[in-house]
Amino acid sequence: MFKTCCVTGHRPKGFPWLYGADSKFQSVYEKMLYERIEIYITESNVTDFISGMALGVDIDFAVAVLKLRKKYSSIHLHCAIPCHNQTKLWNGRDIALYNKILKRADSSIILSEKYNQNCMLERNRYMVDRSDYVLAVWNGKQHGGTWYTMGYAIKQQKQLEIIRLDEII
């Protein structure tokens, strides 16, 4: 029986350092994310990973899963896209990476045709409901989508693990 893990986490502005900068904090975070996903594969028999495909943690998670797929060919990446026009305000480089990930993903689903005020929360619930494990990359603030999704995962009795961004600094 396959097991599934999804991720919840912050967009670039939610990081306690300049996200994407070539810094020791960014490197530590990316290494922790990669290593944690590999532990899910090797110790918990997770074969399926779900990314919400937002900028920041979601995209980083998807990239790490795809890198690990070179080593573990039995793992799968699934993309849960909140709305059809998610990338509308993104820059060209980010859109190119998003499209590259989608092409390499095993599946993708668009949960709402158009953006609405609840589509991100609906996407997060969709991912949690289909997962055995929820990996949260959290900045320590008790508000926002990541905080909400962590609470939802607990209510749904999912196994929740937290990487604390504020403890990396």
Side-chain angles (χ1 to χ4, degrees):
M1 183 172 169
F2 69 91
K3 293 183 182 176
T4 303
C5 174
C6 71
V7 72
T8 185
H10 298 287
R11 292 188 181 90
K13 66 180 174 140
F15 280 67
W17 62 81
L18 181 60
Y19 174 86
D22 187 17
S23 72
K24 67 178 181 177
F25 304 127
Q26 188 76 19
S27 297
V28 168
Y29 148 71
E30 289 174 358
K31 184 177 181 203
M32 288 174 71
L33 186 61
Y34 182 93
E35 289 174 350
R36 189 60 224 149
I37 295 166
E38 189 165 30
I39 290 169
Y40 281 121
I41 296 165
T42 60
E43 295 181 12
S44 300
N45 299 313
V46 172
T47 58
D48 290 72
F49 295 88
I50 307 172
S51 170
M53 296 299 289
L55 290 173
V57 170
D58 291 3
I59 293 290
D60 296 337
F61 180 83
V63 167
V65 169
L66 291 172
K67 284 181 184 174
L68 282 161
R69 193 163 66 182
K70 294 175 185 174
K71 186 174 180 181
Y72 304 97
S73 60
S74 63
I75 65 170
H76 308 283
L77 175 65
H78 307 284
C79 301
I81 301 165
C83 58
H84 187 57
N85 58 345
Q86 176 173 352
T87 61
K88 182 179 178 181
L89 301 176
W90 295 14
N91 67 45
R93 190 184 89 238
D94 291 335
I95 292 170
L97 177 58
Y98 175 90
N99 288 330
K100 184 177 178 182
I101 292 167
L102 286 179
K103 284 181 184 172
R104 295 185 60 208
D106 295 283
S107 72
S108 63
I109 184 170
I110 298 171
L111 298 168
S112 178
E113 195 56 36
K114 291 186 176 185
Y115 175 84
N116 65 70
Q117 69 182 39
N118 293 318
C119 70
M120 302 298 177
L121 295 177
E122 290 168 5
R123 182 263 328 265
N124 294 344
R125 288 191 296 264
Y126 173 91
M127 294 190 308
V128 169
D129 290 344
R130 284 152 183 80
S131 296
D132 302 289
Y133 302 93
V134 177
L135 177 60
V137 182
W138 181 48
N139 64 11
K141 296 183 179 171
Q142 298 181 3
H143 57 81
T146 302
W147 176 250
Y148 168 84
T149 305
M150 289 167 47
Y152 183 74
I154 292 167
K155 281 184 192 173
Q156 299 305 310
Q157 299 180 342
K158 303 296 178 165
Q159 193 161 357
L160 175 67
E161 181 177 359
I162 301 168
I163 294 174
R164 292 281 304 257
L165 292 173
D166 56 331
E167 293 176 356
I168 293 174
I169 294 182

